[in-house]
Every structure is written in structure tokens, then in C-alpha cells.
Amino acid sequence: MRVVDLIIKKKLGQELTKEEIHFLIDGYVKDEIPDYQISALLMAIAINGLTEQEQFFLTFEMLNSGDQIDLSSVEGIKADKHSTGGVGDKTTLVVAPLVASCGVKMAKMSGRGLGHTGGTLDKLEAIPNFRIALTDKEFLNQVRDISIAVVGQTGEIAPADKKLYALRDVTGTVESIGLIASSIMSKKLASGASHILLDVKVGDGAFMKDLNEARKLADAMVKIGNFAGKKVVAMLTDMDQPLGIAVGNSIEVIEAIETLKGNGPEDFNTLCIELASELLLMTEVSNTKEEAVKLVKEKINNGEALDKLRQMIRYQSGDERVIDDYSLFPSAKSIITIQSDVEGYVEKINTLEIGRAAMLLGAGRSNKDDEIDLAVGVKVFKKVGDKVNLGDVIAEIHANEKNIDVAIETIKAAYKISSQEVRKNQIILDIVS
Ligand code: URA
């Protein structure tokens, strides 16, 4: 086989075989095929797409290039959830304990944030002494004992994807449904869960800006998962404004704890209940949606879901007192409120810009190796559809020294206030299964 022939084949829109995909990915991982040839191939794929078969084979090639978590020694149903990422997305911190408190095993590997999107691992590190790096043995024991663990990647998951993604990033070939679906699913399948719920974010703060494109991505990922023998459901959810109120690290964990105490912001609370109940339906813990929602609400009201989070923090050496005493979280030197100088209704909040403001304050990374400040962030009190009076506090920043003025200006510019009434955003946009 010659690489150039396969590049030409893909350029002509023809389908690559399993053996050809193996030859390309294996050769690339082993440094036998140079970046420039794979770049050309990726561009041909970005333009002509990948067939379903090609997506399956590419996913398995990338999956098999690295380690896979073996959860077979853990009894019970093992589930996982994955979000394609957004602003203020602290869902795992609520949904994982909720579902675990219903008896489903949640063995979850999470990631760090980059750019305007936050990462669950960074958020967890706002809890003093919390360990995100467990050994495989500790990880499995914890899931066996208390049904939940949220950790950083153990071993090397899908190194082929890592190498390809880095190349896609600098060759304008990230945006391709087939490549994105294979990339995400290669990592999800490595986590060893039998049931996977995908939260595909849609909107200006998400990777997928358009509902139809997001549907195509969801459909592709569900098909790949089913091909691998997994039960996969994708929920398409709103990211046309930040999720909940808090965008940052400490402040998002506090919001997640409040949600488990029954005091969550409306949109975030609704999303968590929907995701958790979908997981209960998928895993057949509940037979109907109504039953699932009732059980989830019960676990919030009776405090069992919050106890599950407390248990997880304790097992991972964190200071569990944070649940009752928020002063133990890193906190910012100043809180500065931003008031509205007009009256009307919030028509739009530029989500990317809110994420960027939080990042400028230090809550996120513009480069992979940047240090982050766990204490800082943004709170958006007024959401799309809300009435705003002159002088109302629309947002506040939690800041240390960095970029205070530019963050305030960025937030002000992100708000668009209309004189007309505006409908609230719907949080669940579609479900693909
Ligand atoms: N996230 C991933 O993991 N892979 C992609 O290709 C895009 C987003």
C-alpha cells in the first residue's frame, strides 16, 4: 500500500477499507508516515467526509492505539456521561452523584478546560486536597465501594487521536463531523462503560453552533457507540447562554453543591434532572421517564445525592467540609457588580465572550500549560428572557488582580438588551438514540 494512493482515493471521495485505515493510523502513530501526508489526507476527509464504515474503523483504530479501562471486575451497570463542552458546564458534579445515588456505577474520566470552556478536573481541584490522580486499583476499588469516582485520565487513552487532533488543530481540519465523532467516541469507548450519555452542546458557546449539524454529530456518535455494542443516547442541549449562573472553578463547584441541596439555578437544575433521568431510563433503573424524574428529585430532596458527592470527596482525600462551609474554597479578593444602564429584556448573551471574560480573569487557559486561578470567575444573574430594570445587577466578577477592567467591558458588551419581551431559551433541544 502507498500512502499517496490512499490520499488520492479519499480526494476522489471513495471509501477507504478497514485495512487501509489501519495502515494509515498505525503508520502515523509509529512515525512511519509524515505529518504532511496525513495533513493532506485529513483535508480530503474534511472536504469529502467519512462514511459510517470509515468512522467505525477510524474510531476502533484510535481506540486500540492506547489503553482501555477494564471495568469487568466492578459489578452492576456502568455508565458514563460526556459533554462536548461549554461555558458554566458543571453538570458532571451533579449528575454523577445523582445517578450513583440511584445505584448506577459512574466511573468517570474527565478533562481539563481549554479556551473559553472549563474542565471538570479543574473544578474538582478547587476542593482543597482533592486527588484527581488515582491508581487504576484505587479507581476501581472506589467505584466498587461507593459507585462513583471522577478522575483524570489513567494510562494513555487513544494516543492516535491525540496526535491526529494536534495536527487537525493546525491544518484547519477540526471541523468535520466524521473526524469529531470518531475522536470523541474513541476516548469514550476506552472508558469501559456499557451505557454512555452524550450531552451535545449547541449554540454560540459550543463547538456545534447549529442544531442540524449537532444532530448529525449526535447521530454519528450514537451509531459508532451502537456498533461497539454500547447503549448510547445523545441529548442536544442549549449553549446559547452560559449554563446556570456561575462560570469559574470554586464558584461552579459551589453552584453544583447548591443544586444538590435543591437550590440550583432553573436552567442548570432542569438540565441535571433531564440528564440524570435519561441515564436511569437507559440503564433500566426506571421504566418510565416520569418514574426516573421522580426518583432523581427524591435523591435531591432526601440528601442522598449530596451525600454521594460528600463520599466521593472523602474517598479522593478532599476536604468534605466544603459541602457545608464554602469559605474553605479559594475565594477572590474582590467581587465587582455590573449594573444595567438600560431597561428591557435580555435578548442574547454572547456565551463565548462570557467564557473569555472568565478566562481573562484567570479562570481558564488560553494555552494548554497556563496556570489557572481557581478563585476567580463570572456570575451571570440575568439570563435570556429576564426583565432588566435600570441599575439591576446583571452580572458580577470575582477577581484577583488580573484583567478586571477588560473583563467588565467584555461582559457588558456580551449582553444584548431588547425593549421587546424575549422568550426564555429551551434547555433540551432534542434527543437522539
Ligand atoms: N473534542 C474531541 O475530543 N475531538 C474532536 O475532534 C473535537 C472535540
Side-chain angles (χ1 to χ4, degrees):
M1 253 183 258
R2 289 194 327 150
V3 179
V4 64
D5 297 330
L6 302 183
I7 296 172
I8 293 168
K9 193 170 175 187
K10 207 57 233 174
K11 186 181 77 171
L12 297 173
Q14 293 165 6
E15 188 176 56
L16 297 175
T17 65
K18 183 176 178 201
E19 291 69 30
E20 288 165 343
I21 291 174
H22 171 75
F23 169 75
L24 289 164
I25 302 303
D26 190 53
Y28 186 50
V29 170
K30 289 181 177 153
D31 288 328
E32 290 163 7
I33 304 177
D35 278 352
Y36 58 81
Q37 283 192 305
I38 297 297
S39 302
L41 177 78
L42 288 170
M43 187 53 81
I45 292 174
I47 292 167
N48 288 326
L50 287 172
T51 65
E52 276 176 20
Q53 290 288 317
E54 287 175 321
Q55 289 174 34
F56 299 155
F57 298 141
L58 176 59
T59 304
F60 290 106
E61 242 356 280
M62 297 196 293
L63 169 67
N64 292 328
S65 70
D67 298 325
Q68 295 175 43
I69 308 294
D70 180 5
L71 293 177
S72 60
S73 64
V74 178
E75 271 179 38
I77 303 169
K78 281 92 50 171
D80 196 359
K81 79 156 270 286
H82 174 78
S83 160
T84 55
V87 176
D89 188 358
K90 67 237 61 145
T91 325
T92 293
L93 301 177
V94 175
V95 173
L98 254 177
V99 175
S101 73
C102 299
V104 177
K105 301 282 196 299
M106 295 295 288
K108 195 157 167 40
M109 280 186 293
S110 285
R112 296 202 178 275
L114 185 61
H116 68 282
T117 60
T120 303
L121 289 187
D122 298 321
K123 291 167 202 180
L124 283 168
E125 282 184 339
I127 301 168
N129 304 325
F130 191 92
R131 280 177 65 211
I132 51 147
L134 300 188
T135 63
D136 285 1
K137 194 167 163 212
E138 286 172 325
F139 179 58
L140 292 174
N141 279 342
Q142 183 174 323
V143 179
R144 255 184 237 117
D145 280 3
I146 63 166
S147 300
I148 184 172
V150 181
V151 297
Q153 227 176 60
T154 70
E156 203 181 5
I157 304 292
D161 172 66
K162 198 170 171 189
K163 194 165 178 201
L164 278 172
Y165 192 86
L167 191 59
R168 285 167 60 204
D169 207 22
V170 293
T171 54
T173 53
V174 167
E175 252 129 273
S176 150
I177 300 275
L179 289 175
I180 299 172
S182 312
S183 162
I184 293 176
M185 290 310 289
S186 67
K187 289 170 288 198
K188 277 296 104 184
L189 295 178
S191 76
S194 53
H195 295 67
I196 302 167
L197 177 62
L198 302 166
D199 179 5
V200 180
K201 300 284 182 207
V202 190
D204 79 333
F207 209 60
M208 307 307 288
K209 316 279 179 217
D210 171 86
L211 186 57
N212 274 333
E213 288 300 293
R215 255 195 214 107
K216 284 187 207 158
L217 175 65
D219 192 52
M221 292 194 289
V222 169
K223 283 191 175 131
I224 293 171
N226 291 342
F227 188 78
K230 312 283 182 184
K231 192 154 185 181
V232 184
V233 173
M235 289 179 102
L236 306 183
T237 74
D238 180 56
M239 193 33 76
D240 248 338
Q241 63 178 336
L243 183 58
I245 292 172
V247 181
N249 293 287
S250 288
I251 57 176
E252 282 195 44
V253 183
I254 295 169
E255 187 163 283
I257 295 171
E258 279 299 308
T259 305
L260 286 168
K261 288 178 180 172
N263 310 319
E266 192 188 331
D267 61 337
F268 179 57
N269 188 51
T270 305
L271 178 66
C272 291
I273 290 172
E274 288 290 327
L275 290 170
S277 55
E278 188 57 47
L279 271 161
L280 295 185
L281 259 187
M282 286 171 73
T283 51
E284 295 176 22
V285 169
S286 302
N287 295 318
T288 64
K289 185 70 195 267
E290 292 70 32
E291 219 181 86
V293 170
K294 187 163 165 267
L295 183 57
V296 166
K297 288 185 175 168
E298 223 170 84
K299 296 291 179 185
I300 295 179
N301 293 335
N302 67 16
E304 285 182 30
L306 183 67
D307 278 344
K308 201 40 90 182
L309 178 67
R310 195 190 298 270
Q311 241 178 354
M312 180 178 93
I313 296 175
R314 186 187 319 139
Y315 262 69
Q316 294 185 233
S317 314
D319 188 344
E320 64 182 280
R321 295 174 305 162
V322 292
I323 299 269
D324 307 301
D325 182 359
Y326 300 149
S327 72
L328 295 168
F329 282 103
S331 60
K333 284 200 187 113
S334 44
I335 296 177
I336 303 159
T337 57
I338 301 171
Q339 279 142 327
S340 179
D341 45 20
V342 288
E343 202 173 297
Y345 298 85
V346 179
E347 182 184 336
K348 173 110 202 67
I349 306 172
N350 187 323
T351 321
L352 264 181
E353 287 299 290
I354 299 291
R356 205 170 67 83
M359 188 185 77
L360 288 170
L361 291 167
R365 301 180 180 82
S366 51
N367 292 306
K368 209 161 70 26
D369 301 318
D370 287 352
E371 285 263 327
I372 60 170
D373 183 343
L374 297 165
V376 301
V378 179
K379 285 191 178 178
V380 285
F381 295 115
K382 294 289 183 185
K383 305 287 294 274
V384 172
D386 284 350
K387 173 91 176 75
V388 178
N389 294 311
L390 208 65
D392 275 357
V393 173
I394 52 172
E396 73 185 18
I397 62 167
H398 291 226
N400 285 326
E401 272 87 28
K402 216 167 137 186
N403 292 330
I404 294 178
D405 292 339
V406 58
I408 292 173
E409 285 317 308
T410 305
I411 293 165
K412 278 187 181 162
Y415 267 88
K416 187 168 175 207
I417 312 278
S418 153
S419 55
Q420 316 276 323
E421 273 195 45
V422 177
R423 271 217 334 247
K424 284 187 183 292
N425 286 4
Q426 200 181 319
I427 186 87
I428 308 292
L429 305 171
D430 204 355
I431 299 184
V432 177
S433 60

Short mmCIF file of all heavy atoms in Angstrom, two decimals, residues 82 84 161 165 168 174 176 179-185 187 207, ligand 1:
data_model
loop_
_atom_site.label_atom_id
_atom_site.label_comp_id
_atom_site.label_asym_id
_atom_site.label_seq_id
_atom_site.Cartn_x
_atom_site.Cartn_y
_atom_site.Cartn_z
N HIS A 82 -20.83 12.30 28.88
CA HIS A 82 -19.79 13.14 28.28
C HIS A 82 -20.44 14.39 27.71
O HIS A 82 -21.46 14.31 27.03
CB HIS A 82 -19.09 12.38 27.15
CG HIS A 82 -18.12 13.22 26.39
ND1 HIS A 82 -16.87 13.53 26.87
CD2 HIS A 82 -18.23 13.86 25.19
CE1 HIS A 82 -16.25 14.31 26.01
NE2 HIS A 82 -17.05 14.51 24.98
N THR A 84 -19.85 17.78 25.28
CA THR A 84 -18.93 18.29 24.26
C THR A 84 -18.35 19.64 24.67
O THR A 84 -17.53 20.19 23.96
CB THR A 84 -19.63 18.38 22.88
OG1 THR A 84 -20.81 19.17 23.02
CG2 THR A 84 -19.98 17.02 22.34
N ASP A 161 -5.52 9.46 18.54
CA ASP A 161 -6.41 10.63 18.44
C ASP A 161 -5.67 11.89 18.87
O ASP A 161 -5.81 12.95 18.27
CB ASP A 161 -7.65 10.42 19.32
CG ASP A 161 -8.49 11.70 19.39
OD1 ASP A 161 -9.02 12.09 18.34
OD2 ASP A 161 -8.56 12.32 20.47
N TYR A 165 -5.41 14.88 16.49
CA TYR A 165 -6.11 16.10 16.88
C TYR A 165 -5.16 17.31 16.82
O TYR A 165 -5.52 18.38 16.34
CB TYR A 165 -6.74 15.97 18.26
CG TYR A 165 -7.70 17.12 18.53
CD1 TYR A 165 -9.02 17.05 18.11
CD2 TYR A 165 -7.26 18.29 19.13
CE1 TYR A 165 -9.90 18.11 18.31
CE2 TYR A 165 -8.12 19.36 19.33
CZ TYR A 165 -9.43 19.26 18.92
OH TYR A 165 -10.29 20.32 19.10
N ARG A 168 -4.86 18.20 13.28
CA ARG A 168 -6.11 18.83 12.79
C ARG A 168 -6.19 20.29 13.23
O ARG A 168 -6.63 21.16 12.49
CB ARG A 168 -7.32 18.06 13.33
CG ARG A 168 -7.55 16.72 12.63
CD ARG A 168 -8.55 15.88 13.40
NE ARG A 168 -9.84 16.51 13.54
CZ ARG A 168 -10.72 16.23 14.51
NH1 ARG A 168 -10.45 15.31 15.42
NH2 ARG A 168 -11.87 16.86 14.56
N VAL A 174 -10.29 20.49 11.99
CA VAL A 174 -11.03 20.05 13.18
C VAL A 174 -12.50 19.86 12.81
O VAL A 174 -13.13 18.88 13.16
CB VAL A 174 -10.87 21.05 14.35
CG1 VAL A 174 -11.86 20.76 15.45
CG2 VAL A 174 -9.45 20.97 14.91
N SER A 176 -15.08 18.60 11.12
CA SER A 176 -15.55 17.54 10.23
C SER A 176 -16.32 16.58 11.11
O SER A 176 -15.76 16.06 12.10
CB SER A 176 -14.34 16.85 9.60
OG SER A 176 -14.64 15.50 9.33
N LEU A 179 -14.73 13.15 11.66
CA LEU A 179 -13.50 13.18 12.47
C LEU A 179 -13.82 13.48 13.94
O LEU A 179 -13.22 12.88 14.84
CB LEU A 179 -12.52 14.22 11.91
CG LEU A 179 -11.86 13.87 10.57
CD1 LEU A 179 -11.01 15.04 10.08
CD2 LEU A 179 -10.99 12.61 10.69
N ILE A 180 -14.74 14.41 14.16
CA ILE A 180 -15.09 14.75 15.55
C ILE A 180 -15.73 13.54 16.24
O ILE A 180 -15.38 13.17 17.35
CB ILE A 180 -16.05 15.97 15.62
CG1 ILE A 180 -15.41 17.22 15.01
CG2 ILE A 180 -16.47 16.24 17.06
CD1 ILE A 180 -16.36 18.41 14.86
N ALA A 181 -16.71 12.93 15.54
CA ALA A 181 -17.42 11.78 16.13
C ALA A 181 -16.44 10.65 16.47
O ALA A 181 -16.49 10.08 17.56
CB ALA A 181 -18.50 11.29 15.18
N SER A 182 -15.53 10.35 15.56
CA SER A 182 -14.57 9.26 15.80
C SER A 182 -13.64 9.63 16.95
O SER A 182 -13.30 8.78 17.78
CB SER A 182 -13.71 8.99 14.56
OG SER A 182 -14.52 8.90 13.42
N SER A 183 -13.23 10.89 16.98
CA SER A 183 -12.31 11.34 18.02
C SER A 183 -12.95 11.22 19.40
O SER A 183 -12.37 10.62 20.33
CB SER A 183 -11.93 12.80 17.72
OG SER A 183 -11.39 13.44 18.84
N ILE A 184 -14.15 11.75 19.54
CA ILE A 184 -14.82 11.71 20.86
C ILE A 184 -15.11 10.26 21.25
O ILE A 184 -14.83 9.83 22.37
CB ILE A 184 -16.13 12.54 20.84
CG1 ILE A 184 -15.80 14.03 20.68
CG2 ILE A 184 -16.97 12.29 22.10
CD1 ILE A 184 -17.00 14.96 20.56
N MET A 185 -15.64 9.48 20.30
CA MET A 185 -16.05 8.12 20.66
C MET A 185 -14.86 7.20 20.94
O MET A 185 -14.96 6.28 21.74
CB MET A 185 -16.95 7.52 19.58
CG MET A 185 -18.32 8.17 19.52
SD MET A 185 -19.18 8.28 21.13
CE MET A 185 -19.61 6.57 21.42
N LYS A 187 -12.35 7.95 22.62
CA LYS A 187 -12.00 8.16 24.03
C LYS A 187 -13.10 7.65 24.96
O LYS A 187 -12.84 7.09 26.01
CB LYS A 187 -11.71 9.65 24.27
CG LYS A 187 -10.40 10.06 23.61
CD LYS A 187 -10.17 11.55 23.60
CE LYS A 187 -11.06 12.26 22.63
NZ LYS A 187 -10.66 13.60 22.24
N PHE A 207 -19.07 23.99 20.52
CA PHE A 207 -18.37 23.55 19.34
C PHE A 207 -19.31 23.53 18.14
O PHE A 207 -18.97 23.96 17.05
CB PHE A 207 -17.92 22.13 19.67
CG PHE A 207 -16.69 21.74 19.00
CD1 PHE A 207 -15.54 22.43 19.22
CD2 PHE A 207 -16.69 20.67 18.13
CE1 PHE A 207 -14.38 22.07 18.58
CE2 PHE A 207 -15.55 20.31 17.50
CZ PHE A 207 -14.39 21.01 17.72
N1 URA B 1 -13.47 17.09 21.02
C1 URA B 1 -12.76 15.97 20.75
O1 URA B 1 -12.43 15.22 21.66
N2 URA B 1 -12.42 15.70 19.47
C2 URA B 1 -12.77 16.49 18.45
O2 URA B 1 -12.45 16.19 17.31
C3 URA B 1 -13.50 17.65 18.74
C4 URA B 1 -13.84 17.93 20.04
#
